[in-house]
Amino acid sequence: MIIPWGTDAPLYHRPIATIGVMVGCVLAFAADPGHEHTEYLLALGDGVHPIQWVTNIFLHGNVVHLLGNLLFLWTFGIVVEGKLGAFGFLAAFVAMGAFQSGLMQTFADPGGARYAMGASGAIYGLMALCMIWAPRNVLYCLVILSGFMRLLVFQPEIPILWFSAFYIGWEVMLASLWKLSASSALAHATGALGGVILGLSLLKLNLVDCEGWDLISRMRLGRAEKKRPGRPPEKRARKKAKKPRRSGEDPDVVALRTLRGHLDAEETEAAIGFYRDVRRKRPSWRPPDPERLELVKALLAAGWWEDAAGVMRAYLDESRLPSPRIHLRLADVLIRRLDRPVAGLRTLESLPASDLPADLAAVRRKLEAMARRLQEDGALELDEPVRAI
């Protein structure tokens, strides 16, 4: 049994809508645990009833069904809400649930089933969104195995890409074996299909900011890297990067390859040391935004706040289209980790609240209030700008 319970994806605001949907599911179950009001369930083989496409996704068959869906809803919902905000998340959740339910009611062979219900189709849509928008973030999982008269418990960190691909792939395989027969596998597969369509569409329309970490951007970057001269296979990148560059090879390509080798090997100290060294020798060298943000992520995970702040400052100064989330993350580090409210406020001043969506504007207000409190408490700070590295 694999139980996901959390993620390392950054949360820029409280997951209000995710919690609201969870509460709605609990209240709906408490109001009608015996499902006496069948008009709210998804009727199969009895025509098309669009209202049921929405109502059934808040209903569950039993306590185990409810608790399992709530756990997955929390894990993947907070990631999606972090990208879309509360209203965007709620709209996406309902749309994917209605899409899955509409396909089931219209095209599925009911067989012996009369009704269907549950949020799992919409949750598999959320899972697909996370797979596309945050493939390299990890899920904190609890793995429980039984054997030899004892329980074995592990707590691995599994990348969202592999976790979601496995679960979705498994349900698609089962649904294909049972063809169009009404089943949980078909509900999950059609929900994931809705998530894929929605996720790719919002990316194409630039309506979601994944900071260059989405699956499509990473695939494009990988193809571009393979086309560059002298790039070794990924599994040999670390060894090749330490050798002198070949005659005529672009030094920027060599530098990027070496940085990626350290990052892929999780050598944070070596990565920031190499980054500093190259920037000192060639100040014009600018690694691509995804690599620089991956370095920031590694530094934050290691608790190296000064270095992370310097790299974020350089990213904001040099990126053609800097993410407002990095503005907020830099201000957060300056205010909460480094006790530098003046520098934090200066960073926030360059990001007007009027230019932000409602959820990020709320984060900005909280950080500004926190910085003001630190100033009132007499935090000692030299009034100097953040040094970019």
Side-chain angles (χ1 to χ4, degrees):
M1 178 185 300
I2 303 178
I3 304 173
W5 58 268
T7 175
D8 72 339
L11 305 180
Y12 294 99
H13 61 282
R14 295 176 182 174
I16 300 172
T18 301
I19 295 174
V21 170
M22 295 171 68
V23 171
C25 290
V26 173
L27 293 178
F29 181 79
D32 188 17
H35 308 300
E36 297 177 3
H37 297 280
T38 56
E39 65 271 20
Y40 298 119
L41 305 179
L42 186 69
L44 301 176
D46 187 33
V48 176
H49 308 279
I51 296 298
Q52 297 176 353
W53 299 356
V54 175
T55 58
N56 90 94
I57 64 178
F58 293 92
L59 303 174
H60 293 82
N62 52 52
V63 174
V64 174
H65 186 203
L66 173 64
L67 292 179
N69 275 354
L70 291 182
L71 184 62
F72 276 70
L73 174 57
W74 168 257
T75 302
F76 294 99
I78 58 177
V79 179
V80 174
E81 188 170 354
K83 303 291 186 185
L84 298 179
F87 292 107
F89 166 81
L90 187 59
F93 180 82
V94 172
M96 292 184 298
F99 175 83
Q100 168 264 313
S101 299
L103 290 181
M104 285 277 291
Q105 193 172 68
T106 305
F107 299 107
D109 178 7
R114 295 182 58 195
Y115 300 102
M117 72 192 85
S120 56
I123 291 170
Y124 267 76
L126 296 177
M127 193 182 300
L129 291 181
C130 292
M131 181 178 67
I132 295 171
W133 293 348
R136 298 192 67 171
N137 284 109
V138 299
L139 297 176
Y140 304 130
C141 299
L142 187 66
V143 178
I144 303 175
L145 302 175
S146 61
F148 300 104
M149 305 297 292
R150 65 174 182 172
L151 290 178
L152 302 177
V153 180
F154 305 93
Q155 298 186 57
E157 296 181 1
I158 304 175
I160 287 178
L161 174 62
W162 302 121
F163 186 98
S164 300
F166 172 78
Y167 268 83
I168 292 174
W170 178 260
E171 297 299 327
V172 169
M173 182 191 70
L174 293 179
S176 64
L177 291 176
W178 297 333
K179 298 182 180 180
L180 289 179
S181 297
S183 64
S184 60
L186 183 61
H188 298 164
T190 51
L193 174 62
V196 169
I197 294 172
L198 181 62
L200 294 178
S201 298
L202 293 182
L203 273 181
K204 183 70 174 178
L205 296 172
N206 292 320
L207 295 178
V208 60
D209 179 13
C210 297
E211 302 173 3
W213 291 102
D214 59 273
L215 186 61
I216 305 304
S217 296
R218 302 310 298 179
M219 291 173 64
R220 287 174 178 170
L221 180 63
R223 287 196 295 268
E225 285 295 308
K226 289 180 180 179
K227 292 180 180 179
R228 292 179 180 176
R231 186 183 189 276
E234 188 67 27
K235 64 181 180 180
R236 299 171 58 193
R238 184 179 172 189
K239 294 181 180 179
K240 289 284 186 180
K242 295 181 179 179
K243 293 183 179 181
R245 68 183 180 92
R246 292 183 288 274
S247 176
E249 190 173 10
D250 186 345
D252 287 348
V253 173
V254 177
L256 178 59
R257 188 170 67 222
T258 304
L259 179 62
R260 281 209 56 83
H262 289 311
L263 292 173
D264 291 341
E266 298 183 356
E267 299 171 343
T268 304
E269 184 174 2
I272 186 59
F274 175 79
Y275 174 89
R276 283 178 173 275
D277 186 57
V278 176
R279 294 275 289 180
R280 183 175 62 254
K281 294 177 180 178
R282 299 204 311 277
S284 62
W285 180 65
R286 300 179 180 181
D289 287 353
E291 275 67 29
R292 185 135 51 180
L293 294 179
E294 187 170 354
L295 176 59
V296 169
K297 180 180 176 182
L299 293 169
L300 292 174
W304 296 354
W305 313 118
E306 290 281 3
D307 288 327
V311 177
M312 283 190 281
R313 183 70 269 168
Y315 160 82
L316 293 174
D317 291 342
E318 299 171 358
S319 176
R320 294 182 178 179
L321 189 63
S323 169
R325 297 177 185 274
I326 301 302
H327 266 100
L328 295 175
R329 179 59 65 86
L330 174 57
D332 179 79
V333 169
L334 291 170
I335 296 167
R336 297 179 56 200
R337 303 295 185 178
L338 299 177
D339 291 328
R340 297 190 58 188
V342 174
L345 287 171
R346 187 179 291 116
T347 300
L348 292 175
E349 288 171 0
S350 64
L351 186 68
S354 58
D355 294 343
L356 297 174
D359 55 333
L360 296 186
V363 175
R364 187 192 183 284
R365 288 193 295 270
K366 292 178 182 178
L367 289 173
E368 184 175 6
M370 189 181 302
R372 301 294 183 193
R373 286 196 299 270
L374 283 176
Q375 286 185 309
E376 293 172 0
D377 293 341
L380 298 178
E381 176 185 2
L382 294 176
D383 188 6
E384 59 181 18
V386 180
R387 185 170 57 89
I389 60 174

